[in-house]
């Protein structure tokens, strides 16, 4: 590490005094210089560090397979994607499923449905129902994050598809995992929630199925999604635990179930969750050691940072 | 009930029946009936009956009525109060009932009877009723000590009204009544002032601050105020506090009465109880004693006068004194010689402060108080007034009685005691200044104060002597007045008068000094006393003596001395204390003169004189009227009378009670004289004979009501006396307790002394023990120090031993080390020896082996030599055989050399070939690796490309899929539209359209 002339010699100390992410941008740039991009490395990197926002969309695209690892074909593939988007949009307009007044989110939904062959005929077209709520919520958050509608559509589509494929089986077990961690962190809060009957009634759907979309401000949400996209859904549990802990005092004060639920539904408004997410990262770190999660040291890699897997 | 009641009503008159047995039966009947019946009828009947007849039996029943009947009785009396006629009787009855102190009397405050009584007192105009009512009220007040504010002010109003009565009605009502009324008002004043001082004083303040009431205050209330001291409650109490019901809770009735009496300065009202005499007791003690002596002297005189005739006047005092002193040895009369007085004063000084009249008189047990009812005495005096001895006896007996000190009755003993208490009180007030001036000796004041007495005595003795010599001389030495009197009297009456005067004067001295002491202790001298003060008493005494004289002339009875006996006792009292105005002074002799010739005015003039005394300020106009009358009638003699009697300094008004007493006595005198004078005359003749009373019936009525009033007064006084008796008994018990406690105290003191002694002895022994202890302590100290020094020495020795011991031990250790070293060396040496032995044995073994080896060497050397010889032999043999095969061998060797040469050449060529080939191989191999590398790279690239292509392919694939979906969607849309078209236009017949419709999707999908 030390003999690497490329790196800032101070980087060793930055981490020591808690300035994390100083060297991240550089590291990421090095990573992105590889011609066939190493998706695996990118994933570990985004697990470990917050992504710089200027590379976020690009990295997400690569991670989600919207862009191939080869950067040579990026423009070509991106052209394909754009055309595909345009075609689908045209078709939807042609069959009058969407029109100019249709909200962009619904447009995305219809496109997604069309591609999934789930779109009913335009004459029988029903307004988006309960089942589409997850998609709509994610789409809405994504729309806030991404400007370009083509990118946005593709990111939504691939995110949803990947999440459902990858974590579809895991998500139903997350509430139990939440209980477990909460018990470790603060058993009093857990018993309080249990006694109020709130534990089973916590807003699991928005938290886990929608990956906090709508629950957290977008700036925070991006960082959560970094982890989710890079393949960790445990992060959802930790965020949930941290939310509960940080509002512990208020929650302990409330006895009524409705009050607690009302309060948690409004978490988004209380503060920007930057701090919270830092805490979450710390927590992840702590748990990853305390729970004896396997830590793989990839010291052989030239970038020389620790990569840990959370799953 | 209805049947029985008339029966009971009929029975009532039988109470008065002469048959004693029948009366008893009726009494029992009524008593039973009262016990059983709770109705009001019988009580009402009794009341009516009493009101009709005034029956004493009925009165007894009514006054002892029990609880359930009290209401009826009180209601009935309330009814009766309404009618004017029976008001007086009702009040009398009420008085009886109240004096009985029934247990329910406190309830009276709640009954309307009290209100009607108060109303009666406020509105009634009949003096007799008023006096009776006031007396009842006075008795009643201590029984209901917690009146409401309103009630209290009603009492005050009554007082104000009655006080003003005297002044307002003096012209209309008989003066006698006024005296009575004044006495009752006086008592009421005392009671109210004693019980509610603050309220009463505030009432007085508010009431008499009004202008119209000022006269009343000046003449009636102010003199009364002079008879009371400041009530302590005025200092500490408040008006509201006085009305506090708890205030009187602890007090019984007699306590309240005494409380009221305590604040009084009037000897008739006051009690000389503990705590209220202003002078220390050891000062006041001698005074009573001397006054007792002085008081006793009249009796002595009396005695002597009774016992012996008037011939030995000069010697009588001494005889009396000696006779009295025989009875009471320690108390000498002041008339005795100086040394006797000294003795007396000494004895007085030595006397303990607990002085009581009873103890002085040698009486230890109080006789039954009922025994000497004043009426009895009065009767006895009336009935047997002829016998002075008898009177003397009664006086003597009554002298020692406890009533002696109480002013309850109007009989001589009380008056004596009046004198006595008065003197004691005055001396009590006068003694403090004397204490300031002179040293605290009892003897001196006594002696000094004795002087005027003796002087007076001397003067009187002179007078008597001169009187003996010639009758004319006596009045000259005394007064002109007396000389005038002397002229009027016959020879034997002269003696009487002399005797009276003597009595009077002998009685005077003790009081005169006291008077002097009271007024101004230092200014007055005996001269002024005799000059100014003497005429008064003499004049009055003379006035009385004139009456006696008049009676004597009419009755011509020798034993008239009996009534005379009262006068000298009575007269001095007012004379000393009365401050008669000059007019009064002059008037008294005048009246005496006036009355003298006319036998009829015996009673009335004396009342007038008394009235003057009682109401000194109110009297003048009345007196003036009388005087004018008298002046008209009297001749030139008056002129002589007016001269004497210069005015005395500011006087103290006499107590109304005293005035009343005197009134009673004078009335009795008059009565007795009248009886004696007119024993044979009928009443009517009597009245007509007198002719002075305007209407006999009126007079009779006056006299009757007067009698009634007297009776009432008497009953009131008796009631007071009973209260005092109750209190006396209580006090006696307290005294007994106190003495017991004192004895206990002294016993305790003795014990204390004994214990003190014990303590002293114990202290001494303690000191001895302490000394011993000190010695022992020192001894011990010495031993301890010695032992300490020994211990120190021993310790030093021990330390030395210790050091030596240590040295020796260190040496021992060294020795041990040495021995250890030596042993180690020994061991080493032994080891060396052992090693040597071992080596020796080894060397010997080696030696043996080396010897055997030498032998073998020698053997081998021989063999070697042998073999060398053999070898030489063999070499010789070999040289001999090798020369036969060399040619052939040389040839073969040559050929083989040649062949070898050729082979070598070929080998070189071969090696050259090989080298070239190897070079070629190396080249080829490098080429090959290059190729392989290239292939790998190509493969990688291919993979890359493949992956790239794959990605692109995937993208296009997805695009294709998307296209398909789009197409599908469009197709479905299209199909839907077709189907709708078909449905909509079946008639137009769109035959070719379906075929085209089926083809179109393919044609659409192909171009894209």
């Amino acid at each position: 590490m030390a003999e690497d002339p490329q790196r800032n010699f101070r980087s060793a100390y930055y981490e020591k005094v808690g300035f994390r992410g100083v060297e991240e941008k550089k590291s990421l740039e090095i990573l992105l210089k590889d011609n066939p991009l190493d998706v695996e490395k990118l994933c570990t990197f985004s697990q470990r560090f917050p992504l710089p926002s200027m590379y976020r969309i690009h990295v997400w695209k690569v991670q989600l397979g919207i862009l191939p690892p080869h950067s040579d074909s990026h423009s070509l593939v991106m052209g394909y994607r754009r055309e595909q988007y345009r075609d689908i949009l045209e078709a939807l307009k042609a069959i009058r499923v969407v029109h100019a007044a249709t909200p962009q989110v619904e447009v995305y939904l219809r496109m997604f449905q069309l591609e999934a062959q789930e779109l009913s005929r335009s004459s029988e077209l029903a307004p988006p129902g309960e089942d589409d709520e997850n998609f709509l919520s994610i789409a809405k958050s994504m729309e806030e994050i991404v400007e370009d509608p083509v990118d946005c559509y593709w990111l939504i589509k691939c995110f949803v598809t990947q999440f459902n494929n990858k974590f579809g089986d895991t998500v139903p077990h997350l509430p139990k995992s939440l209980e477990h961690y909460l018990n470790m962190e603060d058993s009093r809060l857990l018993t309080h929630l249990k006694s109020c009957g709130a534990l089973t009634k916590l807003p699991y759907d928005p938290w886990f199925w929608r990956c906090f979309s709508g629950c957290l401000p977008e700036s925070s949400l991006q960082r959560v999604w970094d982890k989710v996209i890079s393949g960790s859904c445990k992060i959802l549990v930790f965020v949930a635990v941290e939310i509960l802990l940080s509002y512990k005092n208020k929650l302990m004060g409330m006895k009524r179930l409705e009050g607690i639920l009302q309060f948690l539904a409004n978490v988004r408004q209380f503060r920007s969750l930057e701090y919270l997410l830092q805490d979450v990262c710390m927590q992840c770190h702590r748990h990853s050691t305390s729970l004896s999660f396997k830590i793989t040291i990839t010291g052989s890699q030239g970038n020389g940072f620790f990569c840990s897997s959370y799953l | 009930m209805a049947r029985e009641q008339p029966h009971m009503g009929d029975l009532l008159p039988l109470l008065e029946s002469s048959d004693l047995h029948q009366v008893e039966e009726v009494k029992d009947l009524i008593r039973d009936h009262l016990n059983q019946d709770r109705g009001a009828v019988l009580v009402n009947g009794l009341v009516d009956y009493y009101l009709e007849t005034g029956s004493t039996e009925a009165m007894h029943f009514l006054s002892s009525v029990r609880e359930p009947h009290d209401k009826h009785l009180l209601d009935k009396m309330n009814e009766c109060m309404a009618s004017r006629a029976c008001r007086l009787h009702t009040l009398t009855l009420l008085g009886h009932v109240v004096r009985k102190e029934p247990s329910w009397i406190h309830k009276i405050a709640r009954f309307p009877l009290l209100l009607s009584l108060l109303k009666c007192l406020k509105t009634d105009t009949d003096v007799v009723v008023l006096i009776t009512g006031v007396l009842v009220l006075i008795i009643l007040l201590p029984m209901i000590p917690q009146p409401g504010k309103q009630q209290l002010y009603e009492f005050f109003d009554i007082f104000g009204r009655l006080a003003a009565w005297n002044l307002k009605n003096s012209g209309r009502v008989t003066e006698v009544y006024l005296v009575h009324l004044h006495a009752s008002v006086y008592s009421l004043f005392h009671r109210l002032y004693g019980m509610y001082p603050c309220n009463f004083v505030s009432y007085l303040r508010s009431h008499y601050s009004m202008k119209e009431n000022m006269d009343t205050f000046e003449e009636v209330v102010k003199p009364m105020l002079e008879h009371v001291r400041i009530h302590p409650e005025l200092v500490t109490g408040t008006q509201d506090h006085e009305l506090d019901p708890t205030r009187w809770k602890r007090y019984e009735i007699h306590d309240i009465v005494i409380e009221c009496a305590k604040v009084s300065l009037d000897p008739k009202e006051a009690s000389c109880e503990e705590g209220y005499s202003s002078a220390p007791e050891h000062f006041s003690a001698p005074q009573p004693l001397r006054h007792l002596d002085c008081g006793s002297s009249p009796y002595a005189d009396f005695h002597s006068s009774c016992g012996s005739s008037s011939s030995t006047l000069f010697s009588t005092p001494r005889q009396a004194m000696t006779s009295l002193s025989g009875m009471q040895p320690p108390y000498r009369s002041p008339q005795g010689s100086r040394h006797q007085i000294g003795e007396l004063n000494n004895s007085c000084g030595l006397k303990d402060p607990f002085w009581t009249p009873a103890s002085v008189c040698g009486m230890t047990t109080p006789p039954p108080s009922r025994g000497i009812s004043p009426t009895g005495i009065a009767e006895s005096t009336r009935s047997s007034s002829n016998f002075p001895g008898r009177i003397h006896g009664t006086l003597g007996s009554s002298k020692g009685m406890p009533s002696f000190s109480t002013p309850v009755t109007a009989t001589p003993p009380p008056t004596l005691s009046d004198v006595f208490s008065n003197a004691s009180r005055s001396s009590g007030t006068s003694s403090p200044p004397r204490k300031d001036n002179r040293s605290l000796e009892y003897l001196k004041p006594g002696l000094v104060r004795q002087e005027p007495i003796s002087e007076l005595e001397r003067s009187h003795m002179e007078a008597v002597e001169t009187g003996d010599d010639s009758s004319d001389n006596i009045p000259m030495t005394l007064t002109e007045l007396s000389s005038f009197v002397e002229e009027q009297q016959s020879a034997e009456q002269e003696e009487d008068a002399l005797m009276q005067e003597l009595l009077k004067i002998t009685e005077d001295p003790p009081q005169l000094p006291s008077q002097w002491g009271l007024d101004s202790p230092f200014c007055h001298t005996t001269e002024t006393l005799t000059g100014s003060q003497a005429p008064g008493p003499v004049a009055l005494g003379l006035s009385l003596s004139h009456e006696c004289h008049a009676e004597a002339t009419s009755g011509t009875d020798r034993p008239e001395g009996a009534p005379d006996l009262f006068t000298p006792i009575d007269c001095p009292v007012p004379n000393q204390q009365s401050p008669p105005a000059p007019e009064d002074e002059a008037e008294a002799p005048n009246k005496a003169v006036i009355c003298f010739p006319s036998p009829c005015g015996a009673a009335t003039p004396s009342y007038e004189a008394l009235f003057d005394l009682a109401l000194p300020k109110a009297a003048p106009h009345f007196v003036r009227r009388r005087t004018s009358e008298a002046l008209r009638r009297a001749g030139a003699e008056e002129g002589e009378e007016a001269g004497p009697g210069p005015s005395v300094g500011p006087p103290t008004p006499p107590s109304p009670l005293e005035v009343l007493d005197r009134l009673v006595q004078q009335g009795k005198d008059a009565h007795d004289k009248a009886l004696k004078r007119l024993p044979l005359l009928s009443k009517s003749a009597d009245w007509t004979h007198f002719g002075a009373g305007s209407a006999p019936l009126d007079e009779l009525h006056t006299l009757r009501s007067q009698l009634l009033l007297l009776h009432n007064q008497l009953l009131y006084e008796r009631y007071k006396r009973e209260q005092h008796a109750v209190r006396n008994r209580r006090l006696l018990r307290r005294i007994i307790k106190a003495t017991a406690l004192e004895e206990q105290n002294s016993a305790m003191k003795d014990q204390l002394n004994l214990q003190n002694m014990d303590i002293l002895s114990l202290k001494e022994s303690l000191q001895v023990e302490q000394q011993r202890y000190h010695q022992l302590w020192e001894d011990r100290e010495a031993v301890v120090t010695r032992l300490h020094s020994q211990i120190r020495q021993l310790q030093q020795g021990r330390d030395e031993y210790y050091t030596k011991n240590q040295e020796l031990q260190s040496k021992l250790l060294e020795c041990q080390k040495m021995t250890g070293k030596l042993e180690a060396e020994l061991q080493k040496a032994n080891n060396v020896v052992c090693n040597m032995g071992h080596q020796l044995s080894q060397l010997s073994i080696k030696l043996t082996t080396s010897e055997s080896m030498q032998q073998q060497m020698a053997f081998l050397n021989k063999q070697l030599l042998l073999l060398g010889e053999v070898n030489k032999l063999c070499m010789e043999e070999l040289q001999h055989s090798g020369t036969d095969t060399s040619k052939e061998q040389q040839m073969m060797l040559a050929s083989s050399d040649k062949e070898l040469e050729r082979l070598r050449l070929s080998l070189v060529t071969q090696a050259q070939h090989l080298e070239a080939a190897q070079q070629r191989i190396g080249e080829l191999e490098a080429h090959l690796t290059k190729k392989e590398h290239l292939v790998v790279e190509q493969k990688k690239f291919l993979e890359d490309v493949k992956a790239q292509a794959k990605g692109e392919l995937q993208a296009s694939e997805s695009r294709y899929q998307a296209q398909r979906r789009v197409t599908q969607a469009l197709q479905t849309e299209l199909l839907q539209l077709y189907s709708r078209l078909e449905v909509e236009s079946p008639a137009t017949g769109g035959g070719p359209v379906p075929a085209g419709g089926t083809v179109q999707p393919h044609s659409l999908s192909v171009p894209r």
Side-chain angles (χ1 to χ4, degrees), chain A residues 103-166:
Chain A
Q104 194 64 33
V105 184
E106 198 183 333
V107 172
Y108 295 143
L109 174 69
R110 297 303 173 198
M111 290 170 78
F112 182 77
Q113 281 175 340
L114 181 74
E115 284 201 77
Q117 287 183 298
E118 286 163 356
L119 184 70
S120 47
R121 281 178 301 175
S122 62
S123 56
E124 299 159 11
L125 194 69
E130 290 278 318
D131 305 334
D132 307 321
E133 199 54 44
N134 291 349
F135 181 88
L136 285 176
S137 173
I138 292 170
K140 201 167 183 188
S141 298
M142 194 64 91
E143 197 187 5
E144 298 281 326
I145 300 167
V146 188
E147 284 171 11
D148 185 16
V150 180
D151 286 348
C152 183
Y153 170 67
W154 276 103
L155 283 171
I156 294 163
K157 181 191 159 192
C158 293
F159 179 77
V160 171
T161 318
Q162 192 205 37
F163 187 78
N164 284 342
N165 291 340
K166 223 172 174 181

Side-chain angles (χ1 to χ4, degrees), chain A residues 36 68 70 72-73 76-77 80-81 83-84 87-88 91 94-95 114-117 121-124 154, chain B residues 943-945 947-948 951-956 958-959 962-963 965-966 968-970 972-973 976 980 1008:
Chain A
H70 294 272
D72 300 335
S73 53
L76 178 72
V77 172
Y80 285 162
R81 302 292 189 204
E83 276 176 31
Q84 185 178 345
D87 286 344
I88 296 169
I95 59 173
L114 181 74
E115 284 201 77
Q117 287 183 298
R121 281 178 301 175
S122 62
S123 56
E124 299 159 11
W154 276 103
Chain B
E943 282 295 311
D944 253 10
V945 172
Q948 192 179 354
E952 284 168 12
L953 204 63
Q954 270 178 349
S956 58
S958 75
R959 194 177 148 207
Q963 283 296 345
R965 304 282 181 256
V966 168
Q968 264 180 352
L970 289 173
T972 46
E973 196 66 30
Q976 201 182 351
R980 207 194 294 171
R1008 297 233 167 157

Side-chain angles (χ1 to χ4, degrees), chain B residues 432-739:
Chain B
R434 225 178 296 131
K435 189 178 97 180
D436 290 338
N437 277 349
R438 304 171 190 186
S439 60
L440 282 163
E441 291 171 19
Y442 305 124
L443 236 161
K444 260 192 179 170
L447 287 174
V448 169
R449 303 225 286 132
Q450 206 58 41
E451 283 170 2
I453 300 167
S454 54
E455 271 182 53
L456 258 180
E457 186 73 19
R458 230 177 293 133
S459 70
H460 283 289
M461 283 176 183
E462 281 170 31
V464 170
E465 277 175 305
T466 49
D468 270 341
D469 294 341
S470 67
S471 61
D472 288 339
N473 283 343
I474 301 165
M476 300 320 287
T477 49
L478 287 170
T479 58
E480 289 161 350
L481 181 67
S482 64
S483 72
F484 167 73
V485 171
E486 284 303 316
E487 282 166 29
Q488 306 303 316
Q489 287 174 327
S490 64
E492 48 187 89
Q493 282 157 0
E494 272 178 24
E495 279 178 11
D496 274 353
L498 273 173
M499 191 183 73
Q500 284 169 20
E501 282 182 2
L502 191 64
L503 286 172
K504 196 168 54 195
I505 290 157
T506 47
E507 216 175 53
D508 278 353
Q511 285 153 358
L512 284 172
S514 70
Q515 178 72 31
W516 160 71
L518 182 69
D519 286 340
S520 54
F522 306 118
C523 299
H524 284 267
T525 59
T526 43
E527 285 81 15
T528 55
L529 247 183
T530 46
S532 66
Q533 200 68 20
V538 172
L540 266 181
L542 279 177
S543 75
L544 290 169
S545 65
H546 291 324
E547 289 165 25
C548 301
H549 173 63
E551 287 165 45
T553 47
S554 59
T556 64
D557 251 343
R558 176 72 191 131
E560 68 186 18
D564 285 350
L565 286 173
F566 293 112
T567 50
I569 301 165
D570 269 322
C571 291
V573 182
N575 281 334
Q576 285 145 15
Q577 299 203 331
S578 75
E583 301 161 357
D584 299 343
E585 250 336 283
E587 209 55 43
N590 286 346
K591 226 150 282 149
V593 173
I594 293 158
C595 298
F596 166 59
S598 64
C600 58
T604 347
S606 63
Y607 285 144
E608 287 164 16
L610 291 166
F611 179 62
D612 290 344
L613 296 171
L615 297 169
K617 302 256 165 79
H621 64 277
F622 163 72
V623 166
R624 227 167 280 132
R625 184 162 49 82
R626 286 280 169 173
T627 329
S628 60
E629 281 176 36
L631 279 170
R632 251 178 278 131
R633 265 184 279 173
E637 297 152 340
E638 282 179 45
E640 294 175 51
E641 301 303 322
S647 68
V648 189
T652 311
S655 158
L657 293 177
E658 288 167 23
V659 177
L660 194 63
D661 284 346
R662 247 176 298 143
L663 168 72
V664 171
Q665 286 192 350
Q666 289 200 352
K668 210 167 70 58
D669 295 345
H671 182 64
D672 285 344
K673 282 170 195 167
L675 275 183
K676 280 168 217 153
R677 212 169 17 168
L678 302 168
L680 303 174
L681 289 176
S682 68
K683 285 274 175 188
S684 59
D686 204 351
W687 288 115
T688 47
H689 175 72
F690 286 144
S694 56
L697 263 178
D698 193 24
E699 196 75 26
L700 190 65
H701 177 69
T702 311
L703 286 174
R704 258 195 207 135
S705 48
Q706 202 180 332
L707 190 66
L708 186 68
L709 289 178
L710 274 179
H711 188 59
N712 277 339
Q713 189 74 31
L714 184 67
L715 287 173
Y716 169 63
E717 295 294 340
R718 193 193 295 169
Y719 171 74
K720 263 166 75 177
R721 190 199 60 192
E722 277 167 25
Q723 294 294 342
H724 279 285
V726 170
R727 189 168 178 82
N728 283 341
R729 278 198 287 279
R730 188 148 307 180
L731 290 176
L732 187 66
R733 200 180 60 223
R734 245 185 250 168
I735 287 164
I736 290 166
K737 269 188 200 165
T739 48

Side-chain angles (χ1 to χ4, degrees), chain B residues 191-237:
Chain B
R191 188 57 39 90
L192 289 175
Y193 180 73
M195 285 178 75
Y196 315 104
C198 295
N199 282 301
F200 189 51
V201 166
S202 80
Y203 164 78
L204 289 180
R205 202 174 294 141
S206 62
H207 188 70
Y208 290 110
S209 60
M210 288 184 275
K211 249 233 157 84
E212 65 268 24
N213 294 325
M214 269 313 282
D215 290 343
T216 319
F217 179 71
E218 280 294 328
E219 297 186 13
V220 182
V221 183
K222 199 174 168 190
M224 286 180 182
L225 281 173
E226 284 169 28
H227 282 293
V228 289
R229 68 183 79 225
I230 271 208
H231 200 292
E233 284 282 330
L234 284 174
V235 180
T236 58

Side-chain angles (χ1 to χ4, degrees), chain A residues 53-73:
Chain A
S53 52
M54 63 181 294
Y55 295 117
R56 175 168 286 122
I57 306 299
H58 187 68
V59 174
W60 280 7
K61 277 182 187 168
V62 173
Q63 281 173 341
L64 289 173
I66 297 165
L67 289 179
H70 294 272
S71 42
D72 300 335
S73 53

Side-chain angles (χ1 to χ4, degrees), chain B residues 131-371:
Chain B
I131 294 168
T132 317
V134 166
L135 287 180
V136 169
L137 183 64
I138 293 166
I139 297 171
L140 203 54
L141 272 179
M143 296 175 186
I144 44 166
Q146 299 129 17
K149 194 131 188 145
Q150 191 53 45
Q151 234 173 10
L152 193 64
Y153 278 104
E154 283 188 26
F155 296 156
F156 294 160
D157 286 341
I158 289 166
F159 171 78
R161 176 171 181 254
L162 295 183
W165 185 277
N166 274 334
L167 202 63
K168 285 176 187 165
N169 299 303
S170 55
R172 274 173 283 161
V173 187
T174 323
E175 294 76 18
V176 188
Y177 294 160
L178 293 187
V179 174
H180 277 283
L181 184 61
H182 192 62
S184 344
V185 171
Y186 182 66
S187 294
L188 182 61
F189 170 81
H190 269 296
R191 188 57 39 90
L192 289 175
Y193 180 73
M195 285 178 75
Y196 315 104
C198 295
N199 282 301
F200 189 51
V201 166
S202 80
Y203 164 78
L204 289 180
R205 202 174 294 141
S206 62
H207 188 70
Y208 290 110
S209 60
M210 288 184 275
K211 249 233 157 84
E212 65 268 24
N213 294 325
M214 269 313 282
D215 290 343
T216 319
F217 179 71
E218 280 294 328
E219 297 186 13
V220 182
V221 183
K222 199 174 168 190
M224 286 180 182
L225 281 173
E226 284 169 28
H227 282 293
V228 289
R229 68 183 79 225
I230 271 208
H231 200 292
E233 284 282 330
L234 284 174
V235 180
T236 58
T238 62
Q239 293 194 19
D240 294 332
H241 174 68
E242 267 174 20
L243 296 177
D244 189 8
T246 54
R247 186 179 162 220
W248 297 106
K249 274 260 162 69
R250 291 184 299 108
Y251 291 86
E252 287 176 37
I253 294 166
H254 63 86
D255 285 327
I256 299 176
V257 171
I258 293 298
E259 282 293 318
C260 297
K262 274 177 182 174
V263 293
S264 173
L265 286 170
D266 189 350
K268 311 245 172 185
E269 276 285 346
S271 72
C272 47
E273 272 210 40
E274 70 284 357
Y276 271 84
S277 88
S278 51
E281 277 157 325
H282 50 82
F283 276 108
S284 60
Q287 296 306 100
L289 283 178
R290 209 177 43 227
H291 287 296
L292 181 77
D293 290 349
C294 301
S296 70
S297 62
Y299 287 98
D301 286 337
F302 183 51
H303 173 251
S304 66
S305 70
C306 294
S308 64
S309 65
S310 58
S311 58
T312 57
L313 280 172
F314 185 66
S315 62
T316 41
R318 265 182 206 167
Q319 279 177 358
M321 186 264 293
T322 47
S323 66
L324 261 181
S325 62
M327 283 158 59
Q328 300 162 345
Y331 309 111
R332 305 282 166 154
S333 82
Q335 282 90 345
S337 58
R338 288 294 170 99
H339 78 268
Q340 273 178 325
I341 293 162
E343 269 177 26
L344 165 73
N345 285 328
N346 279 337
S347 67
C348 291
L350 290 172
K351 257 299 175 192
D352 59 353
F354 302 106
W355 181 88
T356 58
S359 67
V360 168
C361 296
M363 297 295 287
T364 49
T365 54
S369 54
R370 301 261 177 191

